[in-house]
Amino acid sequence: MSVDRRQMILDGATKAFTQFGYKATTMDLVAKLANVGKGTIYTFFKNKEELFDEIFTSLLIEMRRIADEAIDEENRFSENLHLALFAILEFRKNHQLTIKIFQESAELGTSAVKEMIEKMEQMIIRYIQIKVKEAVEKGEIKPCDPELTAFVMVKLYIALIFDWEKRYDPLSKEEVAASLELYVLKGLSTTT
């Protein structure tokens, strides 16, 4: 049985980044947790940034898979939008590595971590943008700028889940869905 050293390194690095954050993780620490020599790491990864990027890219792929699994083609666009965003943001909220990354970004402002958070947000927006385009093509929603619409939807959803609860009691999953539908999909106007 051959040992997959690359996977051992990825596993060790994931543990290190999750426990200690990006800034405090060293290649020596990764080597120790992966049970490989430090030089072995460099046969697979150029530097810590490349290693971190690989782990984070895998995380984004997993987030997208979770969003896809949450969608039911029988549902209306608004229901699937909520289900996909909720699945993504619950994953982000509960996954130990993303918790550590957001904590480090807030406390230390590490540039590599901020870049990964931006990459995550862009992936979410692109994902929703595709779903908006599909909904427009099916006639489920009015023609609109898919990128701008996705941006607004994602930002509102994040605000309702994370920012709201900093000051007020958290909204239920149903209240978040109803708010998203009211403010983005139906609008507040009483006239048509």
Side-chain angles (χ1 to χ4, degrees):
M1 183 172 105
S2 72
V3 176
D4 186 351
R5 295 200 189 291
R6 188 174 194 284
Q7 190 58 51
M8 290 170 62
I9 293 165
L10 289 169
D11 292 344
T14 300
K15 285 179 193 168
F17 291 131
T18 300
Q19 291 176 353
F20 304 104
Y22 176 82
K23 192 170 187 167
T25 294
T26 64
M27 293 303 240
D28 287 324
L29 179 59
V30 171
K32 182 179 178 181
L33 291 173
N35 201 26
V36 298
K38 186 175 169 181
T40 304
I41 296 172
Y42 290 106
T43 61
F44 296 101
F45 301 97
K46 188 171 32 177
N47 52 35
K48 180 169 89 167
E49 293 77 17
E50 187 177 286
L51 182 56
F52 186 61
D53 185 62
E54 171 112 6
I55 291 166
F56 214 79
T57 299
S58 296
L59 187 84
L60 296 180
I61 291 167
E62 188 176 349
M63 286 177 88
R64 185 181 175 115
R65 181 189 55 74
I66 286 169
D68 284 340
E69 288 175 0
I71 290 176
D72 180 350
E73 294 303 322
E74 300 297 314
N75 289 343
R76 296 176 309 143
F77 169 74
S78 61
E79 291 173 78
N80 279 333
L81 171 69
H82 168 65
L83 290 171
L85 281 172
F86 190 81
I88 289 169
L89 296 178
E90 276 297 299
F91 176 85
R92 183 186 112 169
K93 190 174 172 180
N94 296 318
H95 193 280
Q96 293 302 310
L97 179 57
T98 59
I99 291 169
K100 190 64 173 179
I101 298 297
F102 278 91
Q103 178 186 19
E104 182 171 329
S105 176
E107 292 174 4
L108 303 175
T110 309
S111 62
V113 168
K114 285 183 172 184
E115 286 175 27
M116 288 303 149
I117 290 172
E118 177 64 23
K119 188 175 178 179
M120 179 187 295
E121 188 173 287
Q122 287 305 312
M123 184 279 298
I124 296 168
I125 291 169
R126 277 193 306 276
Y127 181 84
I128 299 302
Q129 180 180 349
I130 291 166
K131 300 303 177 190
V132 168
K133 280 182 184 177
E134 291 171 358
V136 168
E137 289 168 4
K138 291 178 185 175
E140 293 182 78
I141 61 174
K142 295 177 188 175
C144 59
D145 178 333
E147 184 177 22
L148 177 61
T149 304
F151 178 85
V152 169
M153 289 174 168
V154 170
K155 290 296 190 175
L156 176 59
Y157 209 87
I158 290 170
L160 291 171
I161 290 181
F162 296 108
D163 298 335
W164 177 266
E165 66 184 37
K166 290 177 185 173
R167 294 192 176 111
Y168 309 102
D169 290 336
L171 298 172
S172 70
K173 187 176 177 179
E174 294 76 20
E175 289 172 315
V176 171
S179 296
L180 186 67
E181 187 158 347
L182 173 66
Y183 297 122
V184 177
L185 298 172
K186 290 183 180 174
L188 295 173
S189 178
T190 57
T191 59
T192 43

